């Protein structure tokens, strides 16, 4: 078994999913996700206001309408209440991208509930906070899509 296949198997086991795909960059992973689920100019995505500009450029290539979610000043992460309200205010189906930064793993119960209620995709982007959830029991139980950036810790 190649090293790449070993890593894929380890990720599948870690997140209790049957499939994983490796990409060299988050931009490539996001493009692959958007292409595979068929998102286009009739779609929308909610992203953190502090998202990396290279991620925005990928979304723009697909012509997807972008909504920016406010940041909670206490922890620097997206505000759960804000994202849930944004999802409620948008009539079309979309994607909500939840980002974990600075090694902080945070739960977003209102965002998850509203996204599931409206049939939205939830895209988890861990942005180098892998160690924050490695010791959680079933860290991402509700997701189908994730961008996981990791180093030697897996």
């Amino acid at each position: 078994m190649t090293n790449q296949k070993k890593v894929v198997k380890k990720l599948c086991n870690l997140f209790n999913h049957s499939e994983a795909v490796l990409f060299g960059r988050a931009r490539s992973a996001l493009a692959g996700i958007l292409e595979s689920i068929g998102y286009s100019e009739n779609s929308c995505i909610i992203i953190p206001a502090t998202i990396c500009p290279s991620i925005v450029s990928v979304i723009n290539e697909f012509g997807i309408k972008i909504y920016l979610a406010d940041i909670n000043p206490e922890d620097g992460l997206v505000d759960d209440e804000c994202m849930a309200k944004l999802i409620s205010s948008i009539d079309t189906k979309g994607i909500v991208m939840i980002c974990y930064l600075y090694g902080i793993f945070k739960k977003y119960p209102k965002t998850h509930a509203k996204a599931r209620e409206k049939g939205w995709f939830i895209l988890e982007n861990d942005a180098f906070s892998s160690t924050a959830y490695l010791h959680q029991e079933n860290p991402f139980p509700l997701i189908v899509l994730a961008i996981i950036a990791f180093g030697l810790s897996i």
Side-chain angles (χ1 to χ4, degrees):
M1 181 183 294
T2 66
N3 286 340
Q4 183 175 352
K5 287 182 181 178
K6 288 177 185 175
V7 171
V8 167
K9 183 176 179 180
K10 210 171 194 181
L11 287 170
C12 288
N13 290 338
L14 179 64
F15 294 102
N16 196 28
H17 285 279
S18 60
E19 296 181 45
V21 179
L22 298 178
F23 291 91
R25 302 253 183 257
R27 294 185 307 266
S28 302
L30 180 58
I33 287 169
L34 295 175
E35 191 171 303
S36 71
I37 61 177
Y39 269 63
S40 64
E41 56 276 344
N42 296 326
S43 309
C44 67
I45 187 169
I46 297 172
I47 58 175
T50 56
I51 196 82
C52 174
S54 63
I55 295 296
V56 175
S57 67
V58 172
I59 297 167
N60 283 334
E61 285 178 27
F62 282 81
I64 297 171
K65 182 165 177 58
I66 297 173
Y67 293 88
L68 298 176
D70 287 335
I71 303 302
N72 182 326
E74 293 177 23
D75 59 16
L77 299 176
V78 174
D79 185 83
D80 186 32
E81 182 86 26
C82 172
M83 273 203 292
K85 285 181 181 177
L86 264 173
I87 294 168
S88 292
S89 72
I90 300 169
D91 292 330
T92 61
K93 284 187 181 178
I95 302 170
V96 59
M97 181 186 277
I98 298 172
C99 293
Y100 305 105
L101 301 170
Y102 322 117
I104 301 169
F105 182 80
K106 180 178 174 180
K107 295 188 178 192
Y108 293 90
K110 293 176 183 175
T111 299
H112 278 252
K114 190 54 68 177
R116 284 191 311 273
E117 176 186 312
K118 292 193 70 172
W120 281 46
F121 281 104
I122 300 169
L123 172 57
E124 305 272 0
N125 178 5
D126 97 324
F128 295 105
S129 54
S130 301
T131 55
Y133 61 76
L134 282 177
H135 303 291
Q136 302 270 335
E137 183 179 329
N138 199 7
F140 300 132
L142 304 171
I143 63 160
V144 175
L145 309 169
I147 297 173
I148 308 296
F150 56 88
L152 300 175
S153 61
I154 69 156

